[in-house]
Amino acid sequence: MENLIFGRNPVIEALKSGRELEKVLLQKGAEGSAKKIEAMTLERGIQLRLCDKSELDRICGGGSHQGVAAFGSSYKYYEIEDLLADAEAAGRQPLLVMLDGIEDPHNLGAILRTADCAGACGIIVPKRRSAGLSEIVAKSSAGAIEYVKTAKVANLAQTIDKLKEQGFWVAACDMDGSNYTATDLTGPLVLVVGGEGSGVSRIVREKCDFIVSIPMEGHVNSLNASNAAAILLYEIHRQRTLKAKK
């Protein structure tokens, strides 16, 4: 179910963020952070129900619920303008992450988590050939789905054109590019990460201002999409931090 959240950290972050929740389910006898979840649920006036582990197993389809689940409203998609407004309010150079064909929900969740940690102001996904926001993504994001806004667009190439008009540079992570550490990534930036196996599509690559690559020294010639995104996002963070100190 799209509106099912399970796992202690995702439910805690949903409660902290103010997301609308219909009810919270707690496993009978659960201790530790489950007590914190119980207190937060009651404080917000949300319905709380104690249930057996077998019921939670059934509701969560065998997923790792850690004795906690919640029913909330479906995850919301935003407009590009909403993402940019957040960056302006934060007073920092805007950084957007565009995902071109990321269909694995675990990768999407991991990228959301890193994007939040590295200070990105939002994620852009296409309406087709992309994992959607779901409970699996929420679990993989460790709660970051509640804080990093995701925009869904019909056409990535047209979206790049519009963002360029607003002063963005666009960098794709792909093969045969410049070493990522030798590229200036400090301005308003869209980082494009391609899908698992297929990489960045030709039309999107042609729209990018430059291509950056991560050197490969071992026997495997590629990284998981979420790992590549993490490396690049923290290089962007490093460069911007150094520039701000000068």
Side-chain angles (χ1 to χ4, degrees), residues 7-27:
R8 296 192 179 194
N9 201 50
V11 172
I12 287 173
E13 296 300 339
L15 288 164
K16 284 170 58 179
S17 71
R19 181 178 173 189
E20 291 186 13
L21 298 177
E22 295 177 9
K23 61 183 174 181
V24 173
L25 309 180
L26 280 181
Q27 182 177 321

Side-chain angles (χ1 to χ4, degrees), residues 74-92:
S74 297
Y75 291 103
K76 179 182 177 181
Y77 290 96
Y78 293 84
E79 301 296 327
I80 298 290
E81 290 72 21
D82 297 320
L83 278 54
L84 299 180
D86 283 355
E88 184 177 355
R92 61 173 182 259

Side-chain angles (χ1 to χ4, degrees), residues 111-195:
I111 291 170
L112 279 163
R113 184 175 187 174
T114 305
D116 181 51
C117 293
C121 57
I123 303 287
I124 301 170
V125 298
K127 289 184 177 179
R128 299 179 65 184
R129 292 182 58 248
S130 175
L133 299 181
S134 66
E135 68 273 9
I136 297 175
V137 175
K139 179 71 174 175
S140 300
S141 78
I145 194 172
E146 304 292 344
Y147 300 103
V148 180
K149 292 179 178 177
T150 299
K152 183 181 283 188
V153 299
N155 188 293
L156 293 181
Q158 291 177 6
T159 301
I160 288 175
D161 287 337
K162 292 177 182 177
L163 289 168
K164 283 184 174 182
E165 291 173 1
Q166 297 186 53
F168 279 85
W169 292 90
V170 184
C173 174
D174 210 354
M175 299 180 67
D176 304 320
S178 303
N179 189 306
Y180 74 104
T181 61
T183 305
D184 185 354
L185 303 169
T186 58
L189 186 70
V190 180
L191 174 64
V192 183
V193 179

Side-chain angles (χ1 to χ4, degrees), residues 189-205:
L189 186 70
V190 180
L191 174 64
V192 183
V193 179
E196 305 85 3
S198 59
V200 178
S201 60
R202 179 189 57 81
I203 190 169
V204 169
R205 181 180 169 121

Side-chain angles (χ1 to χ4, degrees), residues 201-213:
S201 60
R202 179 189 57 81
I203 190 169
V204 169
R205 181 180 169 121
E206 290 175 353
K207 290 284 184 179
C208 295
D209 296 301
F210 46 91
I211 309 298
V212 294
S213 297

